[in-house]
Amino acid sequence: MRSIRVVILGDELLTGAGDPKGLGWLGRVQARLPKGENVAFFPLAMVDENTGDLLERWKSEALKRFSPESENYLVVALSSKDIEAGTTISRSRLNLASLLDDAQREGVKTFVVGPTPLGNPEYDAEVEHLNAGFYDVVKRRQIRYVDCFSPLKDHEGWLGEVTASERNLPGQVGYGLIAWLVLNRGWFEWLGMTEEDQS
């Protein structure tokens, strides 16, 4: 039987914060894995994570959770915190590129989930540029990228939850939407599984 390790780097959305069911998008995605598969998930969440933090934590936290006896996979769940940190788009792109290239050298297969909109038009205009920059970096490396921004920026259910939250967190609907996007943007193929395996 295959032994699979999946490490997930990202911000507090990995914890399901704001979700009354406590599942978040990651829990919903895990629940859809085919039964009988030996898959271990290692979510590594950090509040207010930006790409510089991700790059550092990839080296200090993610790498040590992989095993030479397993198939090793890394999910990079990006946020828009680079904007608040004053990071230039070129630096954001470089940080992401460095992380992805390093993971490739280590033989780790990578899957990238893009940032989400917050429902503030002025801020979201900046997120849109950041999202495009991230997508370009990932596309050049022929890695799977889940664009969460474009489908959610005008989605009534998503916007209703994040604008009602003091910390702009989604709820049950929003996390379900992220999970749907992840599951339908090559998740099973990336893990070497097929959706038909599910019961």
Side-chain angles (χ1 to χ4, degrees):
M1 178 185 286
R2 298 169 67 199
S3 173
I4 299 170
R5 291 193 180 192
V6 183
V7 174
I8 310 95
L9 280 173
D11 67 6
E12 62 191 312
L13 292 187
L14 292 186
T15 70
D19 181 3
K21 287 198 169 182
L23 292 171
W25 68 264
L26 185 58
R28 288 171 169 81
V29 167
Q30 279 185 267
R32 295 290 306 279
L33 288 175
K35 289 179 173 52
E37 291 283 359
N38 181 16
V39 185
F41 277 73
F42 299 88
L44 301 175
M46 180 69 73
V47 177
D48 296 335
E49 188 95 284
N50 59 47
T51 55
D53 299 327
L54 282 171
L55 179 59
E56 179 56 39
R57 290 208 305 128
W58 147 252
K59 297 171 182 174
S60 64
E61 296 184 35
L63 263 177
K64 65 178 67 173
R65 285 168 169 83
F66 292 123
S67 164
E69 287 78 40
S70 299
E71 295 178 39
N72 298 312
Y73 294 80
L74 175 70
V75 178
V76 181
L78 298 165
S79 76
S80 57
K81 296 300 181 181
D82 281 37
I83 296 168
E84 294 163 39
T87 309
T88 63
I89 286 188
S90 58
R91 170 53 64 181
S92 299
R93 289 170 56 108
L94 181 60
N95 287 340
L96 178 59
S98 297
L99 193 164
L100 297 177
D101 292 344
D102 199 25
Q104 185 176 39
R105 281 190 293 271
E106 295 288 342
V108 174
K109 299 175 183 176
T110 314
F111 188 96
V112 181
V113 180
T116 55
L118 297 187
N120 177 319
E122 186 176 338
Y123 186 84
D124 283 347
E126 295 188 63
V127 181
E128 188 166 17
H129 290 301
L130 188 63
N131 180 59
F134 287 152
Y135 174 70
D136 184 59
V137 168
V138 175
K139 183 182 177 184
R140 288 170 185 265
R141 287 157 179 77
Q142 298 183 310
I143 293 170
R144 296 181 189 275
Y145 184 81
V146 180
D147 176 6
C148 291
F149 180 83
S150 301
L152 299 180
K153 66 179 179 179
D154 297 316
H155 192 287
E156 187 178 338
W158 171 269
L159 294 175
E161 288 184 338
V162 296
T163 56
S165 165
E166 190 175 321
R167 292 157 61 203
N168 297 114
L169 293 169
Q172 193 170 324
V173 171
Y175 281 115
L177 289 166
I178 297 174
W180 188 91
L181 289 168
V182 169
L183 289 166
N184 286 277
R185 297 295 186 272
W187 175 257
F188 297 105
E189 294 87 346
W190 177 62
L191 288 173
M193 304 173 187
T194 59
E195 224 172 329
E196 288 71 29
D197 289 339
Q198 306 197 43
S199 56

